[in-house]
């Protein structure tokens, strides 16, 4: 199971507790993303930090508490603030980069990282040839009355990414005097990802790609997820999505303990809201709203998004009226159409930097405020309940 860390107090104090408890995992995150920035953009870690620091004024404006928490994480983990910001804006720093890109300056950037003493990923020496992999793709399946058993509200998803980043995953329980308690599954050094709070608000995340990605600075999606988790209602969380335009595209699914369920397709061009249908909602990694779809990048041949989305809908509809934890576990473990399936296993033929899999599975029960976590490819691990 992933480490469970509880932090409390003022923002810097919370961050310092977090960083000190996860210093080894933060180093793993740095190694993973230093490698990825080199491969995808030809940036060494020093250059990535410089780009990340350009986000500091924006963070100070829109999330000063979280910027202060990042300062604490850096102090606790023994690293620079720029490194922690780089982890938290890693999606934005990679926005607009094509799937499976290997930058011609990758080898030089990796060499500079080694000389500078940047933490090294154990598989940094992957071949610099044309890749055949795809980028992280997640599948979300959510349900609320009348589709659920006993009136439950559920938000479930696989988190699909590079499997070695499993070693950086943590469960972060956040206690604060000015917002509800929070439980989030995230990567060490980052302030949030998938999660729920004590006010009955839950969030999930799917990657999208649009042609406008990466062209300007914008709202970092992991900051937005944390801010949504700091609200007391789905309505308040929904409003945050409109605050400033995004730099990259994503879909955030919001669920509420009172039965609210909606997906937000967030692109640099705006926010499209997708409601649930008879208590059912599914999403993968392509836009469903016509307006958002008009600006999205064409899916790569390696993408499995349409198959996974269709299969999730099929399984949700088949169980409508009876959806519970058992049903959602079976959906996240589904292998229909393998390898183009929901429960994704790694392909050892693909270089590690391009190889993706279901890092974990998460099922959030809004009724009991519990997150059920499978800390591996979902079919290979039990779903362990973690209460908020």
């Amino acid at each position: 199971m992933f480490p469970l860390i509880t932090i409390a107090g003022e923002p810097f104090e919370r961050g310092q507790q977090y960083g000190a408890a996860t210093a080894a995992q933060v180093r793993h995150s740095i190694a993973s993303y230093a490698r990825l920035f080199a491969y995808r953009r030809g940036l060494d870690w020093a250059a990535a930090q410089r780009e990340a620091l350009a986000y500091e004024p924006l963070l100070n404006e829109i999330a000063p508490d979280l910027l202060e928490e990042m300062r604490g994480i850096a102090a606790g983990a023994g690293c620079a603030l720029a490194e922690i910001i780089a982890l938290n804006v890693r999606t934005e720093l990679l926005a607009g980069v094509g799937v499976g890109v290997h930058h011609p300056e990758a080898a030089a950037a990796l060499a500079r990282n080694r000389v500078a003493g940047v933490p090294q990923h154990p598989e940094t020496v992957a071949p610099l040839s044309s890749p055949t992999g795809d980028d992280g793709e997640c599948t979300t399946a959510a349900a609320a009355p009348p589709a659920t058993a006993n009136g439950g509200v559920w938000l479930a998803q696989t988190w699909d990414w590079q499997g070695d980043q499993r070693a950086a995953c943590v469960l972060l329980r956040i206690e604060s005097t000015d917002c509800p308690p929070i439980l989030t599954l995230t990567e060490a050094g980052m302030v949030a990802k998938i999660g729920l709070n004590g006010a009955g608000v839950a969030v999930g995340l799917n990657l999208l790609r649009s042609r406008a990605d990466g062209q300007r600075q914008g709202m970092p999606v992991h900051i937005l997820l944390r801010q949504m988790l700091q609200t007391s209602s789905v309505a308040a969380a929904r409003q945050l999505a409109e605050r400033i335009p995004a730099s990259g595209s994503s879909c955030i699914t919001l669920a509420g303990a009172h039965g609210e369920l909606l997906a937000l397709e967030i692109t640099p061009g705006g926010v499209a809201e997708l409601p649930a249908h008879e208590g059912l909602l599914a999403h993968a990694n392509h836009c469903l709203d016509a307006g958002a779809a008009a600006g999205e990048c064409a899916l790569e041949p390696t993408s499995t998004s349409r198959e996974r989305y269709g299969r999730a809908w099929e399984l949700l509809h088949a169980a409508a009226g009876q959806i519970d934890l058992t049903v959602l576990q079976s959906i996240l473990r589904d292998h229909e159409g393998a390898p183009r399936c929901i429960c994704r296993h790694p392909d050892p033929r693909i270089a590690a930097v391009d190889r993706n899999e279901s890092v974990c599975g998460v099922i959030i029960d809004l009724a009991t405020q519990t997150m059920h976590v499978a800390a591996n490819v979902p079919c290979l691990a039990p779903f362990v309940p973690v209460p908020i």
Side-chain angles (χ1 to χ4, degrees):
M1 189 55 178
F2 301 132
L4 174 61
I5 310 299
T6 299
I7 60 175
E10 296 302 311
F12 184 88
E13 183 183 8
R14 293 196 303 263
Q16 195 167 32
Q17 294 164 16
Y18 178 13
T22 62
Q25 290 92 340
V26 169
R27 284 181 61 84
H28 186 96
S29 283
I30 290 172
S32 293
Y33 288 107
R35 176 185 70 159
L36 198 59
F37 291 142
Y39 273 98
R40 296 290 184 258
R41 294 196 51 208
L43 295 177
D44 60 30
W45 187 234
Q49 289 181 72
R50 287 193 294 271
E51 288 202 11
L53 277 178
Y55 270 85
E56 186 176 7
L58 176 64
L59 293 172
N60 192 53
E61 176 187 347
I62 65 172
D65 58 328
L66 299 184
L67 179 60
E68 190 66 9
E69 191 169 293
M70 289 181 214
R71 295 185 198 279
I73 296 170
C79 58
L81 172 63
E83 295 182 288
I84 300 303
I85 296 177
L87 296 179
N88 280 277
V89 301
R90 56 90 162 169
T91 300
E92 290 65 39
L93 296 183
L94 293 167
V97 179
V99 172
V101 167
H102 280 188
H103 197 281
E105 296 298 318
L110 290 168
R112 290 194 296 273
N113 285 347
R114 285 192 293 272
V115 171
V118 176
Q120 292 294 293
H121 191 280
E123 295 187 81
T124 294
V125 291
L128 287 167
S129 58
S130 296
T132 57
D134 59 4
D135 248 345
E137 299 196 6
C138 312
T139 309
T140 295
T148 55
N150 304 314
V153 181
W154 299 88
L155 173 58
Q157 73 163 94
T158 56
W159 177 46
D160 293 3
W161 191 226
Q162 297 178 352
D164 48 56
Q165 193 60 358
R166 194 176 285 121
C169 287
V170 297
L171 286 159
L172 188 62
R173 184 182 284 135
I174 305 160
E175 298 175 356
S176 166
T177 58
D178 54 2
C179 67
I182 294 167
L183 178 65
T184 180
L185 170 67
T186 191
E187 300 165 81
M190 296 169 62
V191 296
K193 193 186 293 293
I194 306 159
L196 76 156
N197 72 19
V201 177
V203 296
L205 178 66
N206 296 74
L207 178 71
L208 300 174
R209 292 184 180 278
S210 80
R211 294 189 295 274
D213 289 348
Q215 296 181 13
R216 62 184 179 188
Q217 192 177 83
M219 171 63 82
V221 67
H222 290 89
I223 302 303
L224 177 58
L225 289 164
R226 173 63 179 272
Q227 290 185 321
M228 286 179 165
L229 288 171
Q230 292 180 163
T231 66
S232 296
S233 69
V234 168
R238 167 67 180 89
Q239 290 179 348
L240 289 173
E242 305 278 4
R243 188 174 179 189
I244 63 172
S247 174
S249 300
S250 61
C251 175
I252 294 178
T253 300
L254 282 166
H258 300 295
E260 307 98 322
L261 201 56
L262 60 134
L264 303 176
E265 293 182 347
I266 302 172
T267 71
V271 180
E273 181 175 328
L274 302 167
H277 296 280
E278 298 181 344
L280 299 176
L281 187 62
H283 213 286
N285 304 97
H286 60 282
C287 294
L288 304 176
D289 174 80
E296 76 175 332
C297 297
L299 293 180
E300 297 287 331
T302 54
S303 173
T304 62
S305 183
R306 298 192 191 282
E307 293 98 321
R308 291 179 290 105
Y309 169 72
R311 180 61 175 166
W313 263 116
E314 178 185 350
L315 294 171
L316 285 170
H317 279 286
Q322 303 174 357
I323 295 173
D324 59 8
L325 177 63
T326 300
V327 169
L328 291 167
Q329 286 176 342
S330 68
I331 291 176
L332 298 193
R333 290 170 168 162
D334 187 74
H335 293 103
E336 178 72 23
R340 302 174 69 82
C341 54
I342 293 172
C343 187
R344 300 176 65 204
H345 291 252
D347 184 344
R349 298 171 299 175
I350 299 174
V353 73
D354 301 308
R355 184 192 312 144
N356 293 293
E357 62 189 90
S358 294
V359 177
C360 60
V362 179
I363 302 173
I364 299 174
D365 180 353
L366 274 297
T368 64
Q369 295 190 343
T370 300
M371 181 184 291
H372 300 261
V373 181
N376 202 333
V377 178
C379 69
L380 300 179
F383 280 87
V384 177
V386 184
I388 197 168

